[in-house]
């Protein structure tokens, strides 16, 4: 078993860290809101670090799941950051969804300290984190990935290295681009069914058995039709991710017109007061159009 630090105990990080403790690893946690970390320790055991550096001291692996580029930079290289306490040869695994540019910057900063850095964003949402069924997309040096893979396995159903530093983040962008289009397509299909006077639940049952089937249809169509939007990934976070996707597309010369349009639809949802609704709330927008 390994000594592991986990930085960031949000809706994803908290259950992920819990799986590490359940697997028998010696876990020390850090969270910007100390009360959350204290509550986690009371539930799962382990130790509490008052700073990222304190949590990371003596760890073999440091995992992070924070909010954005600035948050990751702060916990890595800010005052009391993890890198200052990590020994040469240890591995930092970042599960945050952020820009490939920041990933490469942190990879370089870690390398200066002889620390390994693996970008490892996840897909599967809160339910995947709670059930230990996340898909993990990794970038970084192969040796560091192979060392980290068994640790990540505590909460992953699949974990794959896609290339060098930043490849994990770029793959996560592919994931978000695909989701955005699928959710909008599903929303339009359900809207069409209702406007046509069909039993939308029956339509879903019929088409979910054919080539229209998707994870979104299986897991969100029913709740969308019931006007419930508190089951998954928040619209605010999806817009953050799509901003990253669109910025990267400009940098590499990729054409993603549907993604750009759906991003604006999510902006409409935010303007409806739905920033904390889950990403399937695109259907609520469709219904609002009449």
């Amino acid at each position: 078993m390994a000594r592991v630090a986990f930085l960031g105990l949000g809706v994803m990080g908290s259950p992920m860290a819990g799986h590490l403790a359940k697997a028998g690893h010696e876990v020390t946690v850090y969270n910007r809101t100390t009360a959350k970390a204290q509550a986690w320790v009371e539930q799962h055991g382990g130790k509490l670090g008052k700073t990222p550096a304190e949590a990371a001291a003596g760890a073999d692996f440091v995992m992070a799941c924070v909010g954005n580029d600035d948050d990751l930079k702060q916990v890595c290289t800010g005052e009391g950051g993890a890198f200052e306490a990590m020994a040469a040869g240890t591995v930092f695994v970042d599960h945050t969804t952020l820009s490939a540019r920041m990933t490469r910057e942190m990879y370089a900063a870690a390398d200066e300290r002889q620390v390994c850095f693996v970008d490892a964003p996840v897909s599967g949402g809160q339910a995947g984190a709670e059930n230990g069924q996340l898909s993990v997309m990794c970038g970084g040096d192969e040796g560091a990935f192979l060392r980290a893979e068994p640790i990540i396995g505590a909460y992953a159903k699949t974990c794959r290295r896609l290339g060098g530093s930043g490849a994990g983040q770029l793959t996560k962008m592919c994931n978000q681009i695909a989701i955005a289009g699928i959710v909008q397509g599903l929303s339009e299909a359900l809207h069409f069914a209702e406007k046509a006077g069909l039993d939308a639940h029956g339509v879903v049952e019929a088409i979910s058995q054919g080539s229209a089937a998707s994870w979104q249809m299986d897991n969100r169509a029913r709740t969308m039709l019931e006007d419930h939007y508190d089951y998954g990934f928040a619209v605010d976070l999806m817009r953050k991710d799509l901003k990253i996707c669109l910025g990267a597309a400009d940098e590499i010369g990729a054409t993603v017109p549907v993604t750009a349009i759906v991003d604006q639809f999510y902006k409409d949802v935010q303007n409806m007061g739905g920033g904390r609704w889950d990403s399937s709330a695109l259907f609520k927008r469709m219904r609002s159009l009449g």
Side-chain angles (χ1 to χ4, degrees), residues 134-169:
L134 293 170
S135 174
V136 187
M137 300 149 270
C138 298
D141 298 337
E142 185 174 12
F145 166 76
L146 291 174
R147 290 167 58 197
E149 186 178 16
I151 309 300
I152 296 170
Y155 40 78
K157 67 175 179 180
T158 180
C159 179
R160 181 172 179 178
R161 175 179 176 267
L162 284 305
S165 181
Q169 294 295 346

Side-chain angles (χ1 to χ4, degrees), residues 249-271:
D250 285 342
E251 291 176 7
I252 65 176
T255 303
V256 288
V258 172
T259 304
I261 293 169
V262 176
D263 176 58
Q264 292 305 301
F265 292 164
Y266 276 122
K267 182 178 179 180
D268 292 343
V269 175
Q270 288 177 316
N271 291 337

